Amino acid sequence: MKTQRRVSAAVVALLLGGAGIAITASPAQAAEATFKVKCVPPAGGGDPVEGETTAKVTAPATAKVGDEVDVVWETVKPASNNTDLMDIPKDAVQPTGWITVGGGQAGELKVVGEKKNPPIPKKAPMVMSAMKGKLKLTKAGKVTLTPGKYDVAVTFSFGTFVTKCAPVGEVKGGATIDVSAGSSGGATNGGATNGGATNGGATNGGAHGGTTGGGGGQTDFPGKPVEVAFDCGPVVPGGIKTPVTINAKKNGGSYDLTVKTAKGAMAAPMALPAGALKPSMNVKLGGADSGTVKVSGPANADPIPDKAPVSLSDMTGTYKPGKSGKVTLSPDQLTIDVTMAPGATPINVPCKAASSGVSLELDTAAQPGGSGSSTSTTGSTTSGGLAETGAEDEGGIKALALVAGTVILLGGAVFTFTPWRRLRGTR
C-alpha cells in the first residue's frame, strides 16, 4: 500500500545513525569514528540510502587478561533527522550494532540498545538508546574496538521495520584497551561475547528474509513485514495490497506461527453480526523445506456496530519441520469467509498471492512426523508442510469497510461480494 511504502521510506532516513547515551565503568576512555554508511530498507521501503555519522565507542582504558569489560556505542552526530512524513512514537526504536575487535585479539562484539526513546517529531533529530555489550579479554596487548554495521528496528502500531546499515569503505577510529597479562579467563571464539538479547525485531536477519532462528536458546523469532499483492480475480477488482508479517515462537522441535496483516481503522457503514468475518492464509515454505502451512484466525466474537472499526484477527498455526537447514516462510494465498447470519453458508473469497516475499527464515532441525507426513487433526499442509491451527484474536486488519455490495480493504483493495441483502437471506 502507498501509505506503507511512504512509512518504510521514512523509516530508512531515520536510521542513519547509531545510539544515545554512553555509560561505562571507571576508568574509561572514549574515541570517535566518522564514517559513511549505506542503509538498506525493509521490503517496499525504497532505494538504499547513504549518509555520514559520527560514533563514539567507550571502554576501559586499561584491563587485564580474563577481565570482562563493558563497551558502549553512542552517536555524536546522526546522519539524518526525522523526515517530515510522520512522528516516531515513544519507546519505538531499538538499535543493534557489531563492533570489530582487533589488535591483540580478533572477533566481533554484538552490542544492543534498549527499546527506549522519547517521541520524535517530524524533522527532529533522531534519538536512540546506547548500544551496550560485554567483551571477554583473552590476550595481552592493545585491543581495538571499531564500530561497524548495525540494524535498527522501529515499531509502529502496524508493524516493526528493520533497516540494515553497513559502513561504506574503511572505518578509522574507535576505542583502544591496553590489556596486561593476567589469568586466561577462558577464551570464547576470539573473545567477543554476546552483547545481550534483542527486543522488538532488531535481531540478525539477512537482507532478504527477516530473522534467522533456531540456535543459541532463542525462542522468539520476529519476521519482517513484506508487502503482498493478492489477486482475488473478478471478486475483488484491483486485488489487495497489504504488508504481512510472519512471526515464530519455538515450541519443542516445532514453531508456533502468528501471521499479522496491516493495521488500520475504517468505519463500517452497517452493523455486522458476530462471526461475520474469518481469515485464513497459506504460508509457503522454501529453502530446505517445501509445501505450505495453513494458519487461521477466529471470526469476530462480538457484533460490530455501524460506523465502528472492523478487525480481522491474527492468524495462527504450527510448523513442524520435516527437513534440517535454513527454511524460508512467505505469505501465500489468503482466504476470507464471510457469514452474515448464523447457519448461513459462508461466502468464500480466495485471494492468490500474485507477488510476495520472504518474511522469516528459520534454522530448523527435522522432526519425526514433520513435513511430508500425515496431517494433524488440527491443521493441514500441502506438498510437505504439517500445520496445527490455533485461535488467538489479537488485532489484524482493522481495515475492512463494508459498503453496500463491497468490502474495502485499507490500501485500496475492494471486495465485491454478493449484495448484503442477499447475504442476509442466505441460510
Side-chain angles (χ1 to χ4, degrees):
M1 70 176 56
K2 293 182 179 179
T3 300
Q4 188 69 55
R5 286 195 292 268
R6 292 181 69 218
V7 170
S8 297
V11 171
V12 177
L14 308 178
L15 304 181
L16 295 175
I21 301 171
I23 302 175
T24 58
S26 181
Q29 52 87 35
E32 297 181 359
T34 298
F35 56 100
K36 292 182 179 181
V37 292
K38 181 178 181 179
C39 292
V40 179
D47 296 329
V49 179
E50 291 190 10
E52 186 176 82
T53 186
T54 300
K56 180 164 67 175
V57 178
T58 304
T62 61
K64 64 180 183 297
V65 173
D67 286 349
E68 189 175 64
V69 298
D70 293 323
V71 179
V72 180
W73 174 349
E74 67 170 308
T75 291
V76 176
K77 173 185 169 296
S80 175
N81 291 342
N82 191 358
T83 69
D84 60 357
L85 296 179
M86 66 182 302
D87 296 338
I88 300 296
K90 180 182 178 181
D91 299 338
V93 182
Q94 184 182 36
T96 302
W98 286 265
I99 293 176
T100 300
V101 181
Q105 67 185 58
E108 191 174 59
L109 173 66
K110 182 179 179 181
V111 290
V112 181
E114 292 184 285
K115 193 177 182 182
K116 186 175 182 180
N117 60 277
I120 305 174
K122 301 179 184 69
K123 297 185 179 180
M126 281 298 296
V127 179
M128 290 181 280
S129 64
M131 294 183 282
K132 306 174 185 178
K134 292 183 179 293
L135 175 67
K136 186 80 169 183
L137 300 172
T138 61
K139 294 182 181 180
K142 292 188 181 297
V143 174
T144 60
L145 303 170
T146 306
K149 64 182 180 179
Y150 60 91
D151 297 348
V152 182
V154 178
T155 300
F156 297 92
S157 61
F158 44 81
T160 298
F161 300 84
V162 180
T163 293
K164 306 180 77 63
C165 301
V168 177
E170 182 181 3
V171 179
K172 296 181 179 179
T176 301
I177 306 174
D178 192 355
V179 183
S180 60
S183 60
S184 63
T188 57
N189 293 331
T193 58
N194 195 326
T198 61
N199 297 312
T203 50
N204 191 12
H208 68 284
T211 299
T212 300
Q218 185 179 354
T219 57
D220 292 307
F221 305 102
K224 70 174 184 180
V226 293
E227 187 162 310
V228 184
F230 292 102
D231 181 1
C232 307
V235 177
V236 184
I240 303 169
K241 291 183 179 179
T242 178
V244 179
T245 305
I246 302 172
N247 300 317
K249 184 178 182 66
K250 192 169 177 60
N251 184 359
S254 299
Y255 295 87
D256 295 331
L257 304 182
T258 300
V259 178
K260 296 175 178 288
T261 51
K263 292 183 178 181
M266 299 180 74
M270 63 180 297
L272 294 173
L277 305 173
K278 184 175 182 180
S280 62
M281 185 182 290
N282 289 339
V283 175
K284 186 176 181 180
L285 305 175
D289 213 342
S290 61
T292 59
V293 178
K294 184 177 181 180
V295 294
S296 65
N300 53 299
D302 300 314
I304 303 171
D306 184 23
K307 300 297 189 293
V310 181
S311 297
L312 287 182
S313 61
D314 290 352
M315 292 164 278
T316 60
T318 299
Y319 166 48
K320 190 173 185 180
K323 301 289 179 63
S324 297
K326 293 188 182 300
V327 177
T328 59
L329 289 81
S330 305
D332 203 29
Q333 179 168 303
L334 168 70
T335 301
I336 298 178
D337 291 333
V338 182
T339 306
M340 290 302 297
T345 302
I347 302 297
N348 181 269
V349 182
C351 300
K352 181 181 178 181
S355 66
S356 185
V358 175
S359 176
L360 182 64
E361 184 178 78
L362 296 171
D363 192 358
T364 65
Q367 300 296 310
S371 301
S373 302
S374 299
T375 60
S376 105
T377 58
T378 55
S380 63
T381 62
T382 60
S383 303
L386 182 63
E388 300 171 3
T389 58
E392 291 183 4
D393 191 357
E394 302 178 1
I397 305 178
K398 293 179 180 177
L400 291 175
L402 307 175
V403 183
T406 66
V407 177
I408 302 175
L409 183 66
L410 181 66
V414 181
F415 287 4
T416 306
F417 292 129
T418 304
W420 291 111
R421 62 182 181 273
R422 290 176 58 190
L423 287 174
R424 292 193 187 97
T426 305
R427 299 287 178 181

